């Protein structure tokens, strides 16, 4: 289990002030919390949504708090929204031989510069990019949570740039991995038909699979203490 430095605190989001800040009720106090996702998180209006918050003593931070997860479904599961935390979870799984895509890695590097871009990991000479999709949440929200009209996600330019970089490594390495990480129990993810240029992304993936691209998915259970692996499965055949 990947453990947080300190247990998370439960609160209620009062509003998402802007892309970067959420106002959260912690106990009897309203605090400004960093929102780790600058884009859309599902189609939710966050007024009244339960959340988990981490704290930091970093003097460089504008706020001492970060919203780590939200809960919106009848099961009450926590949905991790901190995409950087997903990378830390993957790094922990690699360090503890808990990621089946690389069962016993010997050399693990993070933030690898490739051309004019960066890829999240290089494991035993193989590049891996990690994505934690949040533009669509694969749970059914309770009716008390307000939802906006669905709009087309626009965060695909960065995905396409990283995917192109990852694919460009295949002639040399013969293998590359695109790993989707969900910090909740999500179904098999094969893309979002409402996503801008979704058809182009699917085509790029299909063509690259023939050259050695592998698609994998990790689901993790997030609690106040940390993140536990639910499952890690290869999903390449779902993209062919």
């Amino acid at each position: 289990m990947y453990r947080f430095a300190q247990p998370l605190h439960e609160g209620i989001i009062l509003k998402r002030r802007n892309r970067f800040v959420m106002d959260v009720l912690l106990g009897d106090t309203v605090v400004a919390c960093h929102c780790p996702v600058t884009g859309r998180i599902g189609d939710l209006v966050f007024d009244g949504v339960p959340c988990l918050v981490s704290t930091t003593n970093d003097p460089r931070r504008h706020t001492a708090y970060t919203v780590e997860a939200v809960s919106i479904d009848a099961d009450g599961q926590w949905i991790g929204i901190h995409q950087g935390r997903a990378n830390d979870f993957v790094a922990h799984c690699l360090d503890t031989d808990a990621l089946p895509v690389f069962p016993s890695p010997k050399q693990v590097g993070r933030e690898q510069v490739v051309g004019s871009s960066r890829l999240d990991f290089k494991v035993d000479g193989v590049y891996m990019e990690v994505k934690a999709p949040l533009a669509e949440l694969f749970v059914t929200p309770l009716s008390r949570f307000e939802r906006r009209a669905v709009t087309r996600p626009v965060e695909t330019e960065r995905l396409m740039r990283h995917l192109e970089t990852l694919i460009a490594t295949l002639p040399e390495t013969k293998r590359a991995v695109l790993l989707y990480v969900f910090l909740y129990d999500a179904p098999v993810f094969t893309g979002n038909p409402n996503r801008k240029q979704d058809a182009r992304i699917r085509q790029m993936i299909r063509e690259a699979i023939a050259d050695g691209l592998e698609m994998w998915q990790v689901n993790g259970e997030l609690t106040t203490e940390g993140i536990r692996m639910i499952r890690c499965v290869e999903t390449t055949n779902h993209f062919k």
Side-chain angles (χ1 to χ4, degrees):
M1 182 180 188
Y2 166 78
R3 294 190 176 276
F4 301 128
Q6 300 177 32
L8 306 183
H9 304 282
E10 187 167 349
I12 300 291
I13 299 173
L14 300 181
K15 64 179 179 180
R16 185 174 185 177
R17 192 189 305 176
N18 53 46
R19 292 191 302 159
F20 307 101
V21 179
M22 289 177 165
D23 290 328
V24 174
L25 181 65
L26 288 180
D28 297 325
T29 305
V30 178
V31 297
C33 298
H34 171 61
C35 178
V37 184
T38 57
R40 198 184 78 195
I41 306 172
D43 53 355
L44 288 172
V45 176
F46 280 93
D47 304 2
V49 172
C51 67
L52 291 178
V53 171
S54 62
T55 59
T56 179
N57 295 319
D58 188 343
R60 297 169 297 179
R61 288 280 304 272
H62 293 295
T63 171
Y65 303 93
T66 296
V67 176
E68 297 277 349
V70 298
S71 179
I72 57 174
D73 66 354
D75 294 331
Q77 69 172 323
W78 292 109
I79 299 172
I81 64 169
H82 195 317
Q83 293 166 314
R85 191 74 75 179
N87 281 38
D88 291 341
F89 175 54
V90 170
H92 168 80
C93 291
L94 288 167
D95 289 343
T96 56
D97 296 346
L99 202 66
V101 59
F102 294 108
S104 300
K106 296 178 175 58
Q107 292 184 326
V108 177
R110 296 184 65 171
E111 293 294 321
Q112 300 293 297
V113 176
V114 181
S116 59
S117 188
R118 288 179 182 268
L119 296 175
D120 291 316
F121 291 91
K122 187 177 184 181
V123 185
D124 295 337
V126 175
Y127 291 95
M128 178 169 67
E129 178 67 8
V130 175
K131 294 298 178 188
L134 288 169
E136 181 180 10
L137 299 180
F138 298 96
V139 297
T140 302
L142 293 171
S143 57
R144 64 188 178 93
F145 295 121
E146 184 181 351
R147 304 169 74 178
R148 301 184 189 277
V150 175
T151 56
R152 292 175 65 86
V154 297
E155 66 283 354
T156 51
E157 289 184 7
R158 187 168 182 268
L159 169 60
M160 291 185 69
R161 183 172 69 252
H162 287 167
L163 183 56
E164 288 169 351
T165 301
L166 187 65
I167 291 171
T169 69
L170 285 170
E172 177 184 353
T173 64
K174 310 303 180 186
R175 185 190 182 203
V177 176
L178 180 58
L179 177 68
Y180 285 113
V181 176
F182 296 86
L183 299 183
Y184 64 101
D185 199 8
V188 172
F189 178 75
T190 59
N192 182 347
N194 292 318
R195 177 177 58 186
K196 184 180 178 181
Q197 301 204 45
D198 185 71
R200 173 58 182 155
I201 292 170
R202 291 173 187 268
Q203 181 184 356
M204 290 171 64
I205 290 173
R206 281 196 302 269
E207 293 174 353
I209 285 173
D211 296 323
L213 178 65
E214 297 176 14
M215 308 295 294
W216 287 74
Q217 179 171 329
V218 162
N219 285 3
E221 178 187 21
L222 191 148
T223 69
T224 57
E225 301 297 323
I227 306 169
R228 179 185 66 84
M229 174 80 75
I230 298 175
R231 69 183 65 87
C232 175
V233 295
E234 184 174 3
T235 58
T236 306
N237 286 337
H238 291 273
F239 287 84
K240 291 181 177 179

